[in-house]
Amino acid sequence: MDKERADSGLTWEVKANSRHYHRLKQKKSVLCFHWGRYADNVVRSYKYSPLTFLPLSLFEQFQRAANLYFLLMLILQCVPVISSIPWYVTIIPLLVVLSVRGIKDLVSDLARRCSDSVINSRPCDVLISQSFITAQWKDVCVGDVVRILKDQVIPADLLLLCSSEPHSLCYVETADIDGETNLKYRQAPNATHSKLTSHPSEEALGAFDGVVLCEEPNNRLYTFRGQLQWRGECLLLDNEHILLRGTVLRNTKFAYGLAIYTGADTKILRNCGKLRVKTTQTEKVLNRVVIGIILSVLLAALLLAIGCGVFSSWVMSQTGTVSGLVIDGNPAYTGFLAYWSYIILLSPAMPIALYITFELIHTVHSLFIGWDLEMYWQQADKPAQSRNTSLNEDLGQVGYLLSDKTGTLTQNHLLFRQCCIAGEIYGDASVSAEDTESMDLSWNPFSCGGLFMSAPGLVERLRGQQCPLSRQFLTALAVCHTVMTEWKEGTLVYQAASPDEEALVGAARELGWVFLSRTRDFLVVSELGVRKQYQLLALVDFTSKRRRMSVLVREPEGGIKLYCKGADIVILERLQQDCLYQERTEQALQLFAEACLRTLCIAVRSVPEALWEQWSKTLIQSAAMATCDRDALLEKLYDQMERDLQLLGVTAIEDRLQEGVPETISLLQDAGIKVWVLTGDKKETAVNIGYSCKLLDPDTRLLEWHELREILQSPDPQVSFFKARQTELWAVEKAMARAKTSVVLTGPELIEFHQRPEWGAAFMSLAEHCQSVVCCRVTPAQKADIVKLVRKHTVSVTMSIGDGANDVNMIKTAHVGVGIAGVEGGQAVQNADFSLSQFRFLQRLLLVHGRWSYLRISSFLRYFLFKTCSFALVHIWFGFFNGFSAQSLYETWFIGLYTVLYTASPILCMAFFEQDASAENSLKYPELYKIGQRQELSSILKLSLSLLSAVYTSLVLFFIPFGVFYNTAFDYQTVAVTVSMAATFTATTEIVLLTKFWTKFNIAAVCVSFLFFFICTRITHNSRIFQRSPSDYYFIGVSDMAFIDPVVWLTALLTTWTAVLPSMTAHALNVILTARDKHKGRGPEGLSHLYP
Amino acid sequence: MVKDEKESANRPDNTAFTQQRLPAWQPMLSAGIIIPGFVLIGLAFIGIGVVLFISSRSIQVLEMDYTGVEQKSACFKCSDPTVKDCICSLEFSIDSLFKGPVFMYYGLSNYFQNYRRYGVSKDYNQLYGDLTYFKTPSDTCAPYVYDKNKPIVPCGSIANSMFNDTFRLYQSVGTNGTKKQVPFDGKGIAWWTDYNIKYRNPSVVPLMDAFNGTTKPIFWSKTAYELDPTDPNNNGFINEDFLVWMRRAALPDFRKLYRRITAGDYAEGLPAGNYSLEISYNYPVLSFGGRKKVVFSNVSWMGGRNEFLGIAYLVIGALCVFMSIVMLIVYAKFKFPDDE
C-alpha cells in the first residue's frame, strides 16, 4: 500500500478531524535541527527573538568581511607588542558601525513581527469536538475542518467539503495569488456534497473521517493531485476542489473545508521565493577592490616584515641602541611581530567608515526619492517610497526592465469606445474618453454610467426596433460571456473573468440589453425592459488557441442560436459565403486597430434543431471518451458548429493605459533599457497593449514560438535569426532587422526552456537584438524564472515592476524590484525595493535619481579609496627609513580623525548633492543613462586608477618631506604634523577638483573640514589634555611650533601641489579636449564634457 | 480646506533641498582660464623657489665629522671603545666672520631614533614627575625597566641612549697659542612646552630624594639629578640636553641643537680666525656604522640651510610652466585642426 502511494506520488496523508495525530507530527526546529512533517499555520518572517537578537545580529554583521576585518584589527591592537596604533582608534568607529546597523535591523524586524502577528491572529472558525470555535489562523492544523464565511480570506489550502450554495459551488477571488480580480468557482466532490450538507452540519462534519492522500507540498498553483478515501470509496481530487490560502470567498454564504497544507506548506507561501539580500553591482565591484586592497596590504606587510627581519639581523651583528631592542634577540620573531604591526598600521587603507558612509549616502538618496514632488501622486496622496535603502545606484544601471502589464502599464480599466454594426461605425475614439459627450440614457433604469461612446444613432435604431442586426449584436454581447452577477446595495455588479467581458456586458447594459443573472442552465436578460430567458445549451469557452468563444442558446421564441465572439482572423474565416457588410466591417477593423483599440468580431448562426440534436449527441459521446484524442475530437466538433457564421459587427475596446506610459517606455528605450512585458494575460491582450504603449511598433515583426524554436534549434541561432529577418523584411541592414523584431512567448512554451537549459544563452543573445519580449500566460513562478534567465545570461541589472501578488516572486528575484502602489493588494509593494504610484514615475526614478545616485556613489567610492589609501600607504615608504619597525608617521589621533572629521564632510556633501546634469537635462538626453549601464564610472579599471593615483600621492606625501627634513634638526613630531597637513590638504584639494556642483553646503563642508583639522590638532596638542593622560596626548606643543614655522607650511604646500598635479593636469586636459568636441558639435551641448 | 490638507498629508515638502534644486555654482572651466592658471601657479612656485634658494645660500654652515674613522683624524684615538674618558680636539679656521647668532648642532647618521620600539620605550607618566612610576615604571620602557631589581629612572631606551659627548670651543688668540673659550648658551635649546609642561621633576626637595630606591640608566655615568652640576635648575628631567635628546628625530640622519653662541664677544658671530673644538668623546657610534659630526650654522627666516626645498619649488614650478605649454599646443592643435 505504501509503495503504491509512493509510486503514484501521493505521499501526503491528511486524516480529517484528527488534530492529535497531526500535532504529533508537527514540524519543529531547534537551532538547525528540524523534525516533523506538517508545518503549523504560523507565518514567521521575522528573524530575531529577544534571546537571539544580539548573537544573530552580531553574527550577521561579522559576516560582512569589513566588520570581521576590523574586529581582527581590534584584537591585534590589544596585543601590546604589536600595537602600532592604540586600540581606541578602531573600536569607536567599529562600535558606531555595529550599533547603527543593529538598530536598523532591529527596527525592521519589529515591523515584520507586527505584520506577522496581524496575519497570524486573523480569525477563522475551526471545528473542534462538533462545534465551531472562533480561533486564530495560527491555530489551524492539518486535518482541521474549517468554516469560511463570505468575504473571509482562506487561512490554509483547503479541500472544499461543502458550501451553502447549490451543488456545493463556491466562488473565490484570487487577486492575491494571480492578480486576477474576477471570481472563479470551486466545487466540492459529489460525495461530500451529498453526505455532509445536512443540518446541523457540525455533527456530520465532526463525524467526517475521510483520509486525503495527495502530493507533497509544492508551488504549483494550478494543479493538484490527490484522492479522498472515505467510506470505502476513493474519490479523485483535483484543483477544482481546492481553496488556496490567500484567496477570498465571495458570493457564498459559507463553505466548509478540510485543511490539507498549512503555513509554510501552502502553495502561495511555497511560491514566495526565498528572501534574498540584494547587493548592488557597484558594491560587488567595491567588495572585490576591497579584497584586493586587503590582499595587497597583507603582501606589503609581509615584505615589510621580511625587511624588518633582515634589518634586525643586521643590527644584531653590531652593538648599538637598536640592537638591544630586537625582541629576544631573535630577528625572525621580531619580523613576525612586525608583520602584525604593519597589518594594523596599514589597515586604515581599507577604512571602516567606508561601509557606514556608504549606507548613510544610500539612506539620503532614498530620502530624496521619497521627497520628490514629481513622483508624488496627488490622487492617492502617495509619494514614492524607497523601501530598500541600499540599491540606489543600481537604479542608474538598469539594463532590463521586466514589467507586469495589468495595473502596471494599464489602469486595468477597459472602456467600450466604438463598435461597428452592419458596416456602420458608432462612436469616435479620436475624442478622449473624458471628452465624450454623454448620451441620454435616462430611459434605461439599469444604466449606471461608464459608457464613453456617443452614438445617439445607435440608440435610436435600437429603440426604434428598426435594425434586427444591431439587436442581435447586443443580444450576443449580453449572452456570450462567462460573467457572473451579484447584487450589491441594490445595483447590479458584474464579476467578469476578464475586464474585456466586463466592458462588453456593461456596454450592453447601458444600451438596454441588461444581463440579469445566470444559473447553470439559463441566462436572464432584460432587453429594453422586456425580461427574456435564454436556455443555455452549450458554452465553448475562450482559449488562447481557439481565440474565440461561443454560446449555444435556445431563444425564448424557440429557435436555437449560436453566438460567437472572437479575434477577427478566426471569425472572418468562419463566415458564410457572401456575408453582408464584410468589406465595410474589415475597413472598420483596420480603423479600430490604428486607434490602438482591442477588437472582437461578433457573429451569429441559426442552428437547425436537427443539427443541434445530432451534434449534442456526438458531443456527449466524445466528452465521455477518456483517450488522448478526446481534445482533438472535441476541437473538431466545435469547429463543425462554429461555421457558416453571419457577421454582426465589431466591438472596439480601449484598454486605458496609465498616464504617460508610451512616453515613458520610449524614453527608457532611448536610454538603452530593454523593456519586457510579462503578464498572466492572453497573448492578444498583451500584444495589443504592446502596440498601444509603443513597446511594439505597428511594423514590428512578431517572432513567435514556432519560429523561435527553429532558430534556437539551428546550429547558429544568430545567423538563422538574421536570415529569417532579412528574407521577411527585405531589410539589408542588420540594425533594421534587429530593431524591428519582438519575441512573443507564452507560459507553456517557457517550460521547454527548463528542459533545454542550453537555449537560455542563445535566446538571451537573440533577445538582446530584439526590440522587446512579451511573455503571456505566465505564472508567478515563471515570471521569476524569466528574471533568473536574464540575470544568468547577461551582466545587466534587471528591474522588475509589478503591482499584484503575482508579481511578488519576480520582484524579489530581480536586482531591483519596484511595486506599483495601485488598486490590487499591497503585497507587491511589501516585497518591493521601491514603490511608485504610477508607471511613468519610473523615468524619473531611473533617469534622474538612479543616474545621480550612480554618479555620486561611484565618485564617492573612487575618492574614498583614494583618500584612505594615499594616507595609509605612506607607512610603507616610511618603513624603509625606520628599520621596518612599523613606526607610524602620524599622530594616532590624526589616524582616527582623518576619515571621520578632516575629510568626511566634503565628500559626503558631494555624494548628497552632486549633479552633472540637471533633472530636466537628464530626462532630455536619455543617452546619458548609458554610462551607468556600461559601468563606466565604477569599473574595476576606474577604481584601480584611483588606487594607482593613491600610490603616487603616498609616495609624494612621504618623499618630499623626506627630502626637506633629511639631516636637519626637525624632530619626528614636527615632520608628522607636516605630513598630516599635506595629506589633509591633498585630500581636500582632490575633492574640490571632483566637485562640479557647489552648493552652500559643499563650500561650508570644505571650510569646516579645514577648520576641524586645525582645531582638533590644536586640541590634541593641548597641554591641559596632556596633563590628563600624558601617554595618549604626547604630541603636546607640536602644533605651536609647527604652525608658525614657514618651512613646515612651504613643505606642506609643495607636497600638496605635487600630489594633485597629475589629477589637475588630467582635469585640465579633459577641459581642453572637450572644447574640441564642442567645436565639432558632438553630444548634447554643454554636457559632452561630463564623461571623457 | 481642512479636508484638502488631510488628503495631501503625505505630500513632500516643496523646498529647494528636498527637491534637489539647491542653488549651486557650477564652475565652467575653459582653456582660457586653465592655461594662464597653470602659468601663474608655475611662476609663483618658481618665485618662491628663487627666494628660498637665495636665502638658503646666504646661510653659512660649517660641518665637521669627528667620528674618527680615518687614522689621520684627530679623534681616531678615541674611536676605540675601550678607551675611556678620551678627549680629542678638532682644529679649524674661519676665513670671514661667521655671522651670529651661531647655532651649534651635533649630528648623527645611520641612527634609528625613529625605530618604533625605541620610540615607545619611555614612560610619559614617569617623565611627568609622577612618583608612583618611579617605583614601578611602565612596561613600555622594556628592555630598560629594572636594573638589578631597582627601577631605572628615567627608564626606557631613549633616555638610556642619551647623547653624552660634550664640546668646548676655543678661539686661538694671538700667536703664542693662548686660547680663549667661546661661551656657549645652553638655555632655551629645548622646546618651551617640553621644559615647562611635558617633562617635570617631582616636587621633592632636594631632588635627589625623589630618586631614592631607583637607579640610573645603564649607559649613564651620572644620575639624572646631577646632569648639570653648574645649574641646579637644569637637572633631572628638565635638563635641556636631555629634553633635546628625548625629542626624537624623524629620519636616521639628523641633527640636534647643542648650544647657541650669543654672548660676549661672539654675539655678532664667530670672527675669522683659528678655533679648536675640544670634544670629550664618549658616545660610541662606530659599532653600528654611525657617524658623528658637529655643525655650526646661522639661521635665517626659514631656519637652517635647506637647498632641497628651494630646488624642489623651482622644479615643480618649471614643470607647471612646461605643462601649460604642452596644453597650449594641444589646445591650438584642436582648436585650429589641420583642415584638409
Side-chain angles (χ1 to χ4, degrees):
Chain A
M1 178 76 188
D2 275 350
K3 189 170 178 292
E4 200 179 300
R5 270 192 225 166
D7 285 346
S8 59
L10 305 180
T11 48
W12 187 263
E13 189 183 24
V14 177
K15 292 184 183 172
N17 285 316
S18 47
R19 227 164 206 247
H20 188 65
Y21 169 78
H22 296 290
R23 275 278 152 91
L24 273 181
K25 288 189 167 188
Q26 204 158 69
K27 222 178 250 176
K28 294 198 178 71
S29 64
V30 170
L31 293 174
C32 46
F33 302 102
H34 306 278
W35 67 90
R37 187 162 161 77
Y38 303 107
D40 55 9
N41 204 27
V42 183
V43 174
R44 296 180 187 84
S45 59
Y46 58 86
K47 286 194 287 189
Y48 311 118
S49 70
L51 204 66
T52 58
F53 170 67
L54 206 62
L56 258 186
S57 154
L58 284 180
F59 175 70
E60 272 170 23
Q61 296 207 39
F62 284 119
Q63 277 180 333
R64 293 194 149 219
N67 290 343
L68 194 65
Y69 177 73
F70 284 107
L71 185 70
L72 288 177
M73 286 304 115
L74 189 64
I75 294 167
L76 287 180
Q77 284 172 3
C78 291
V79 181
V81 206
I82 56 173
S83 156
S84 44
I85 309 175
W87 54 274
Y88 48 73
V89 174
T90 307
I91 189 147
I92 299 163
L94 184 65
L95 277 183
V96 171
V97 169
L98 291 183
S99 47
V100 166
R101 258 225 92 99
I103 289 167
K104 199 178 149 196
D105 287 351
L106 187 65
V107 168
S108 56
D109 203 55
L110 285 178
R112 276 198 292 271
R113 230 168 221 282
C114 281
S115 72
D116 281 358
S117 80
V118 167
I119 292 173
N120 288 332
S121 55
R122 281 191 196 156
C124 82
D125 297 340
V126 180
L127 182 70
I128 290 171
S129 52
Q130 309 232 332
S131 64
F132 279 101
I133 292 170
T134 306
Q136 297 184 329
W137 276 30
K138 60 183 174 199
D139 303 323
V140 175
C141 174
V142 173
D144 281 354
V145 174
V146 182
R147 178 171 65 188
I148 314 292
L149 302 176
K150 193 178 176 182
D151 295 338
Q152 270 190 342
V153 185
I154 290 160
D157 290 354
L158 307 177
L159 166 67
L160 180 61
L161 295 176
C162 56
S163 81
S164 57
E165 305 301 298
H167 310 291
S168 277
L169 278 174
C170 77
Y171 300 96
V172 289
E173 189 190 286
T174 56
D176 265 359
I177 289 187
D178 53 15
E180 294 179 21
T181 47
N182 65 305
L183 297 187
K184 299 188 177 61
Y185 70 89
R186 296 283 181 267
Q187 194 168 11
N190 276 328
T192 58
H193 164 65
S194 52
K195 307 266 166 56
L196 296 176
T197 320
S198 59
H199 295 282
S201 50
E202 278 88 347
E203 261 173 47
L205 288 167
F208 176 64
D209 59 349
V211 174
V212 174
L213 290 175
C214 59
E215 316 167 279
E216 290 289 311
N218 58 53
N219 65 353
R220 295 187 288 275
L221 287 173
Y222 303 115
T223 61
F224 177 80
R225 282 192 323 123
Q227 43 180 282
L228 172 66
Q229 296 175 343
W230 188 40
R231 298 187 179 173
E233 280 181 78
C234 180
L235 305 163
L236 285 181
L237 303 176
D238 65 24
N239 200 34
E240 289 239 313
H241 303 117
I242 301 297
L243 303 174
L244 295 181
R245 180 186 169 123
T247 54
V248 183
L249 192 71
R250 299 278 191 215
N251 286 15
T252 312
K253 217 181 268 164
F254 56 82
Y256 298 111
L258 171 70
I260 294 176
Y261 303 127
T262 52
D265 294 333
T266 56
K267 287 181 184 268
I268 184 70
L269 288 184
R270 288 265 163 165
N271 239 299
C272 270
K274 285 232 172 73
L275 192 70
R276 289 184 326 108
V277 179
K278 294 179 176 179
T279 43
T280 61
Q281 303 299 298
T282 314
E283 200 174 340
K284 279 179 201 156
V285 174
L286 171 71
N287 285 339
R288 273 194 276 166
V289 171
V290 162
I291 288 171
I293 294 177
I294 292 179
L295 289 181
S296 330
V297 162
L298 294 183
L299 183 70
L302 183 69
L303 295 178
L304 290 166
I306 292 171
C308 180
V310 171
F311 180 82
S312 302
S313 61
W314 175 63
V315 292
M316 284 286 289
S317 62
Q318 308 148 348
T319 45
T321 332
V322 174
S323 58
L325 292 165
V326 175
I327 298 164
D328 299 340
N330 184 345
Y333 183 58
T334 309
F336 173 74
L337 292 181
Y339 175 65
W340 299 108
S341 298
Y342 265 115
I343 287 177
I344 296 171
L345 195 62
L346 297 176
S347 69
M350 213 290 278
I352 188 160
L354 175 64
Y355 283 90
I356 197 77
T357 321
F358 202 46
E359 253 169 51
L360 181 68
I361 291 168
H362 274 139
T363 311
V364 171
H365 287 185
S366 303
L367 285 176
F368 277 136
I369 288 173
W371 283 335
D372 196 336
L373 269 176
E374 311 256 325
M375 296 203 292
Y376 166 75
W377 204 39
Q378 184 78 55
Q379 268 121 304
D381 187 29
K382 273 182 189 158
Q385 196 191 356
S386 163
R387 304 177 53 86
N388 183 341
T389 57
S390 61
L391 295 177
N392 304 69
E393 75 268 17
D394 261 3
L395 290 178
Q397 294 176 277
V398 173
Y400 284 84
L401 174 69
L402 299 108
S403 171
D404 175 41
K405 185 198 68 93
T406 317
T408 305
L409 299 177
T410 65
Q411 297 176 339
N412 204 7
H413 184 59
L414 300 183
L415 301 177
F416 187 90
R417 294 302 312 280
Q418 271 187 306
C419 61
C420 166
I421 307 172
E424 196 85 32
I425 295 178
Y426 301 100
D428 184 3
S430 59
V431 184
S432 79
E434 285 79 13
D435 300 339
T436 307
E437 240 178 281
S438 57
M439 288 189 289
D440 178 25
L441 295 170
S442 52
W443 48 269
N444 182 359
F446 290 102
S447 165
C448 55
L451 182 67
F452 295 97
M453 183 175 84
S454 181
L458 178 61
V459 176
E460 216 171 280
R461 278 196 187 180
L462 289 170
R463 299 188 73 191
Q465 316 235 338
Q466 295 159 345
C467 172
L469 272 182
S470 48
R471 293 172 64 87
Q472 278 195 329
F473 179 83
L474 280 159
T475 311
L477 293 189
V479 169
C480 180
H481 55 74
T482 56
V483 171
M484 318 245 188
T485 55
E486 191 185 358
W487 285 89
K488 261 189 197 162
E489 293 157 10
T491 54
L492 192 60
V493 176
Y494 291 133
Q495 295 285 353
S498 71
D500 299 69
E501 288 204 321
E502 194 183 345
L504 291 178
V505 180
R509 170 174 70 181
E510 295 302 309
L511 293 170
W513 263 252
V514 188
F515 168 61
L516 288 175
S517 69
R518 167 198 296 274
T519 61
R520 206 157 73 157
D521 302 321
F522 288 99
L523 298 161
V524 183
V525 178
S526 154
E527 294 180 2
L528 292 172
V530 184
R531 195 180 164 93
K532 286 189 179 175
Q533 189 162 322
Y534 290 85
Q535 192 190 352
L536 180 64
L537 299 175
L539 188 151
V540 189
D541 205 353
F542 195 97
T543 67
S544 59
K545 198 175 159 202
R546 283 167 36 81
R547 305 172 74 190
R548 62 190 184 273
M549 167 187 182
S550 308
V551 285
L552 203 60
V553 291
R554 191 185 293 278
E555 295 193 299
E557 293 85 17
I560 297 177
K561 282 265 169 68
L562 173 94
Y563 289 106
C564 184
K565 67 174 183 189
D568 43 8
I569 312 168
V570 188
I571 300 291
L572 289 178
E573 70 185 20
R574 285 179 171 74
L575 294 181
Q576 62 195 69
Q577 298 257 305
D578 306 323
C579 192
L580 284 167
Y581 313 119
Q582 185 170 353
E583 203 172 307
R584 277 161 71 187
T585 310
E586 280 179 30
Q587 281 168 4
L589 272 171
Q590 185 79 29
L591 267 173
F592 294 157
E594 277 163 16
C596 276
L597 298 173
R598 292 153 70 146
T599 54
L600 280 177
C601 286
I602 311 287
V604 70
R605 181 189 182 189
S606 296
V607 183
E609 197 74 31
L611 177 66
W612 153 244
E613 268 170 26
Q614 193 214 335
W615 187 79
S616 63
K617 254 183 223 160
T618 340
L619 182 72
I620 291 166
Q621 280 170 11
S622 324
M625 283 169 62
T627 57
C628 47
D629 348 304
R630 194 187 100 164
D631 288 344
L633 223 94
L634 282 175
E635 195 54 48
K636 216 167 147 194
L637 255 180
Y638 296 149
D639 213 42
Q640 277 172 17
M641 184 52 80
E642 294 164 323
R643 63 169 56 160
D644 295 333
L645 301 172
Q646 186 195 354
L647 185 64
L648 291 174
V650 177
T651 61
I653 293 172
E654 188 179 39
D655 187 1
R656 297 248 276 162
L657 289 175
Q658 284 188 14
E659 223 178 296
V661 167
E663 293 83 354
T664 306
I665 286 185
S666 75
L667 193 70
L668 295 182
Q669 285 183 334
D670 285 344
I673 301 172
K674 298 265 173 209
V675 184
W676 292 20
V677 172
L678 315 180
T679 173
D681 256 316
K682 293 189 289 279
K683 189 149 107 189
E684 289 72 25
T685 323
V687 169
N688 260 321
I689 288 293
Y691 283 121
S692 56
C693 66
K694 304 268 159 59
L695 184 67
L696 312 172
D697 293 330
D699 53 344
T700 301
R701 173 80 179 87
L702 297 185
L703 187 67
E704 297 198 19
W705 178 244
H706 55 95
E707 282 177 86
L708 182 68
R709 200 161 85 176
E710 276 168 31
I711 293 173
L712 290 176
Q713 275 170 340
S714 68
D716 191 345
Q718 285 280 348
V719 170
S720 31
F721 172 66
F722 288 121
K723 237 186 226 164
R725 288 296 65 78
Q726 279 167 12
T727 48
E728 289 193 32
L729 288 173
W730 295 284
V732 189
E733 243 186 302
K734 279 189 176 183
M736 271 293 289
R738 281 173 191 178
K740 289 296 176 195
T741 309
S742 291
V743 178
V744 180
L745 292 176
T746 65
E749 293 156 3
L750 279 166
I751 295 170
E752 269 190 70
F753 269 106
H754 274 290
Q755 295 150 1
R756 326 255 324 230
E758 73 275 8
W759 282 5
F763 171 67
M764 280 312 299
S765 69
L766 287 188
E768 228 164 285
H769 298 304
C770 289
Q771 193 179 11
S772 174
V773 173
V774 179
C775 301
C776 336
R777 280 277 159 220
V778 286
T779 61
Q782 277 180 327
K783 286 185 178 184
D785 286 341
I786 296 165
V787 178
K788 273 182 211 149
L789 184 78
V790 178
R791 282 188 69 143
K792 192 175 161 193
H793 296 290
T794 64
V795 287
S796 305
V797 174
T798 54
M799 173 187 253
S800 294
I801 180 165
D803 70 323
N806 54 338
D807 305 316
V808 168
N809 215 336
M810 84 170 173
I811 283 175
K812 280 182 171 177
T813 312
H815 289 108
V816 188
V818 179
I820 297 281
V823 207
E824 292 183 23
Q827 287 211 27
V829 170
Q830 288 288 322
N831 289 285
D833 303 309
F834 296 92
S835 81
L836 299 175
S837 302
Q838 291 280 296
F839 183 79
R840 75 187 131 97
F841 293 160
L842 208 55
Q843 44 177 296
R844 211 174 153 81
L845 184 71
L846 293 178
L847 298 191
V848 178
H849 288 278
R851 209 176 66 79
W852 279 347
S853 277
Y854 176 67
L855 168 83
R856 292 165 182 175
I857 282 172
S858 42
S859 307
F860 158 77
L861 288 180
R862 280 183 288 141
Y863 173 73
F864 215 86
L865 291 179
F866 165 80
K867 75 164 188 184
T868 53
C869 284
S870 61
F871 118 106
L873 295 187
V874 167
H875 291 125
I876 296 180
W877 323 124
F878 189 39
F880 287 91
F881 299 94
N882 63 23
F884 306 99
S885 61
Q887 171 65 47
S888 160
L889 189 53
Y890 304 112
E891 183 194 1
T892 49
W893 287 106
F894 176 76
I895 296 177
L897 296 175
Y898 174 77
T899 43
V900 183
L901 282 185
Y902 304 158
T903 56
S905 52
I907 179 62
L908 269 186
C909 281
M910 196 204 77
F912 292 159
F913 304 119
E914 184 72 358
Q915 298 180 9
D916 56 343
S918 64
E920 290 74 31
N921 277 337
S922 300
L923 292 172
K924 203 167 157 195
Y925 304 108
E927 55 271 25
L928 288 175
Y929 189 80
K930 293 181 179 165
I931 293 150
Q933 290 165 340
R934 293 193 292 257
Q935 295 216 352
E936 273 181 23
L937 303 178
S938 58
S939 59
I940 292 264
L941 184 76
K942 279 267 180 180
L943 287 174
S944 310
L945 263 180
S946 335
L947 291 182
L948 204 67
S949 114
V951 171
Y952 164 79
T953 304
S954 68
L955 280 167
V956 170
L957 280 181
F958 177 71
F959 280 101
I960 287 190
F962 172 81
V964 174
F965 295 120
Y966 195 76
N967 201 7
T968 60
F970 286 97
D971 68 305
Y972 156 75
Q973 294 187 339
T974 310
V975 175
V977 170
T978 313
V979 178
S980 313
M981 258 167 95
T984 313
F985 291 173
T986 309
T988 313
T989 316
E990 282 288 344
I991 190 73
V992 168
L993 285 178
L994 222 64
T995 309
K996 298 278 188 329
F997 191 79
W998 287 92
T999 65
K1000 54 189 172 189
F1001 297 103
N1002 293 73
I1003 295 165
V1006 169
C1007 302
V1008 160
S1009 51
F1010 268 122
L1011 272 182
F1012 265 133
F1013 172 72
F1014 289 108
I1015 291 172
C1016 291
T1017 310
R1018 295 293 302 215
I1019 288 175
T1020 55
H1021 296 182
N1022 188 280
S1023 57
R1024 290 242 176 98
I1025 205 161
F1026 167 80
Q1027 281 158 0
R1028 290 191 181 256
S1029 172
S1031 54
D1032 290 327
Y1033 301 94
Y1034 52 87
F1035 264 58
I1036 169 182
V1038 182
S1039 48
D1040 300 346
M1041 300 291 283
F1043 288 166
I1044 54 165
D1045 193 327
V1047 174
V1048 168
W1049 281 96
L1050 286 170
T1051 311
L1053 179 68
L1054 177 73
T1055 313
T1056 307
W1057 179 251
T1058 315
V1060 299
L1061 196 56
S1063 54
M1064 197 79 113
T1065 316
H1067 272 88
L1069 281 175
N1070 186 20
V1071 169
I1072 289 167
L1073 289 180
T1074 46
R1076 168 193 64 153
D1077 278 358
K1078 265 186 223 162
H1079 287 293
K1080 293 199 176 168
R1082 277 195 208 159
E1085 187 64 33
L1087 294 169
S1088 55
H1089 66 281
L1090 297 175
Y1091 304 102
Chain B
M1 194 63 213
V2 175
K3 204 185 159 205
D4 272 4
E5 269 174 30
K6 205 181 168 191
E7 268 176 2
S8 47
N10 295 324
R11 190 186 174 84
D13 293 339
N14 186 8
T15 64
F17 179 77
T18 54
Q19 300 310 311
Q20 305 199 59
R21 293 185 182 282
L22 286 172
W25 176 56
Q26 287 170 279
M28 286 304 241
L29 294 176
S30 66
I33 302 171
I34 285 174
I35 296 173
F38 258 78
V39 174
L40 278 182
I41 292 172
L43 291 179
F45 267 64
I46 291 174
I48 296 173
V50 168
V51 172
L52 280 173
F53 192 72
I54 290 169
S55 28
S56 181
R57 273 295 156 103
S58 70
I59 295 168
Q60 291 164 285
V61 176
L62 180 67
E63 193 172 310
M64 288 169 292
D65 189 305
Y66 70 95
T67 325
V69 190
E70 289 116 42
Q71 294 209 341
K72 60 180 182 201
S73 74
C75 292
F76 178 70
K77 59 175 175 166
C78 298
S79 63
D80 182 357
T82 53
V83 180
K84 297 279 177 222
D85 298 327
C86 176
I87 289 174
C88 58
S89 189
L90 220 59
E91 308 291 333
F92 64 96
S93 62
I94 294 173
D95 302 332
S96 59
L97 175 73
F98 204 104
K99 265 200 222 138
V102 179
F103 286 57
M104 183 187 164
Y105 304 85
Y106 60 88
L108 294 171
S109 56
N110 201 21
Y111 192 101
F112 286 84
Q113 251 205 329
N114 59 9
Y115 196 76
R116 185 175 77 84
R117 291 179 47 76
Y118 178 86
V120 190
S121 187
K122 67 199 270 191
D123 184 345
Y124 289 99
N125 291 302
Q126 190 190 61
L127 296 169
Y128 190 57
D130 193 333
L131 279 172
T132 50
Y133 293 89
F134 276 51
K135 306 279 177 295
T136 49
S138 156
D139 290 338
T140 52
C141 281
Y144 302 102
V145 189
Y146 293 100
D147 181 27
K148 296 176 193 111
N149 288 327
K150 276 187 175 174
I152 300 173
V153 178
C155 70
S157 211
I158 313 181
N160 188 50
S161 60
M162 184 177 155
F163 186 77
N164 55 1
D165 285 359
T166 52
F167 307 93
R168 281 203 186 96
L169 182 63
Y170 297 97
Q171 188 188 8
S172 312
V173 222
T175 48
N176 52 359
T178 45
K179 288 178 176 174
K180 179 177 164 198
Q181 186 172 0
V182 180
F184 280 160
D185 178 10
K187 279 256 177 282
I189 55 169
W191 286 20
W192 187 90
T193 44
D194 287 355
Y195 187 78
N196 292 291
I197 300 161
K198 197 172 177 183
Y199 295 85
R200 259 186 209 177
N201 285 325
S203 43
V204 177
V205 187
L207 183 60
M208 199 172 90
D209 293 354
F211 288 79
N212 280 340
T214 66
T215 182
K216 64 180 171 60
I218 299 162
F219 289 0
W220 285 20
S221 51
K222 296 183 276 192
T223 56
Y225 50 88
E226 320 173 295
L227 281 173
D228 188 355
T230 57
D231 182 0
N233 289 330
N234 195 23
N235 275 315
F237 301 150
I238 54 168
N239 174 276
E240 296 209 31
D241 288 327
F242 176 69
L243 293 179
V244 168
W245 180 254
M246 293 301 280
R247 186 153 282 283
R248 54 192 189 109
L251 298 164
D253 283 20
F254 59 89
R255 296 173 188 174
K256 281 179 187 291
L257 185 58
Y258 182 70
R259 293 290 182 264
R260 278 182 294 198
I261 302 166
T262 52
D265 304 338
Y266 302 96
E268 292 300 309
L270 295 176
N274 291 324
Y275 292 85
S276 81
L277 183 69
E278 194 184 291
I279 302 159
S280 92
Y281 192 113
N282 303 313
Y283 205 70
V285 292
L286 274 178
S287 60
F288 56 90
R291 287 285 184 278
K292 299 197 282 190
K293 62 196 169 205
V294 282
V295 182
F296 293 95
S297 166
N298 49 22
V299 294
S300 71
W301 60 272
M302 57 171 288
R305 180 187 269 190
N306 199 328
E307 292 191 352
F308 178 88
L309 197 57
I311 293 169
Y313 263 94
L314 286 173
V315 169
I316 297 295
L319 196 64
C320 284
V321 174
F322 173 72
M323 285 293 190
S324 59
I325 293 167
V326 170
M327 276 178 224
L328 196 66
I329 293 168
V330 170
Y331 180 63
K333 225 182 175 132
F334 287 119
K335 183 151 192 196
F336 314 106
D338 308 321
D339 292 313
E340 59 275 10

